[in-house]
Amino acid sequence: AAMAEEHRRLCAQLDDLRRLTRNFAPPTQACVAWRLLYVLCGKLDTDLREQMTLEEDVLFAPELRVFPEDSTCANTTLEA
């Protein structure tokens, strides 16, 4: 239950980051450093969501399947 709550909070933060960066699309006038920041934010989002999915579906699946509502990112679409 603690892991599921942590995942819910993290998903909300990642959703905020995606919204604030307009889906990790840097402004057209952004310099190379800012463009790299946006790319790395997108990678962080993808990597963390993948890790949460692995934790929920593989590593700790027997615990979480008892309470299916604890699966937080199951309906999240990952974008590259």
Side-chain angles (χ1 to χ4, degrees), residues 13-63:
Q13 291 171 338
L14 291 171
D15 290 343
D16 287 345
L17 181 60
R18 182 179 292 272
R19 181 183 48 77
L20 290 169
T21 61
R22 295 188 180 113
N23 202 28
F24 309 113
T28 55
Q29 73 278 14
C31 67
V32 172
W34 277 99
R35 290 180 182 279
L36 179 60
L37 176 65
Y38 277 64
V39 167
L40 293 175
C41 284
K43 180 166 177 27
L44 177 68
D45 178 271
T46 300
D47 290 350
L48 285 173
R49 289 182 192 273
E50 183 178 308
Q51 178 64 32
M52 287 186 287
T53 300
L54 286 172
E55 288 176 358
E56 292 174 0
D57 296 343
V58 178
L59 298 174
F60 303 104
E63 293 175 29

